Amino acid sequence: DLGVVVEVSELDETAHQAMSNEGRRVLRHATQQEIGKWHSLDAADDEAMQHLIDLVTKNNVPILVKQAEWQFERKTLTFHYVPLTPHPDFRKILKSAYRKFHCRIWMNNCEPKDGEPGERLFVA
């Protein structure tokens, strides 16, 4: 996937080894075309989020959609949500979202309680 370098600093040997073990390294600089594609994902994220909010409202699914996030290659679309009830059933909206976007749809509980699945995400 595409990443953005936000800070460069000197690492001590322990930190450098830890980052190397995670497999995170810059393979090459992005082309201008890739940078343009990356910038266009913001609008696509907004469109996807609005579509899911409409589906949630139409199907009375008890979740609050916080963010939509396309993978750079547009093969996966992740929706970050907060459940309003335990174990919300969003199977209907997943089918509709797949029909609209033709990609893998991931639902991430971005504010999981103790023991619940999900990856905490701090979004506005």
Side-chain angles (χ1 to χ4, degrees):
D1 214 9
L2 180 72
V4 177
V5 176
V6 294
E7 180 180 346
V8 177
S9 64
E10 293 297 319
L11 296 175
D12 64 19
E13 187 58 36
T14 306
H16 187 269
Q17 184 65 30
M19 295 220 22
S20 297
N21 290 340
E22 292 179 23
R24 295 179 181 174
R25 58 190 174 100
V26 175
L27 300 177
R28 63 177 175 79
H29 291 284
T31 65
Q32 285 303 109
Q33 182 181 7
E34 290 168 332
I35 293 169
K37 184 177 177 181
W38 179 66
H39 286 296
S40 73
L41 287 178
D42 285 340
D45 291 348
D46 294 341
E47 176 191 344
M49 184 168 159
Q50 187 56 55
H51 182 74
L52 193 74
I53 289 170
D54 294 344
L55 288 174
V56 164
T57 303
K58 178 182 173 186
N59 292 285
N60 297 316
V61 178
I63 63 173
L64 178 60
V65 181
K66 294 291 220 167
Q67 183 177 340
E69 180 180 19
W70 277 102
Q71 180 187 28
F72 179 67
E73 295 296 330
R74 294 185 73 139
K75 293 180 181 177
T76 303
L77 177 56
T78 303
F79 291 105
H80 302 281
Y81 71 94
V82 176
L84 301 177
T85 63
H87 310 292
D89 182 4
F90 37 72
R91 288 177 288 187
K92 286 182 185 176
I93 63 174
L94 286 178
K95 290 177 184 177
S96 296
Y98 180 80
R99 280 194 297 272
K100 166 82 173 169
F101 300 111
H102 306 287
C103 68
R104 177 174 285 165
I105 306 291
W106 288 99
M107 299 295 289
N108 175 53
N109 178 355
C110 63
E111 292 183 13
K113 307 286 188 264
D114 292 335
E116 289 181 338
E119 181 180 326
R120 185 162 294 282
L121 182 71
F122 299 98
V123 294

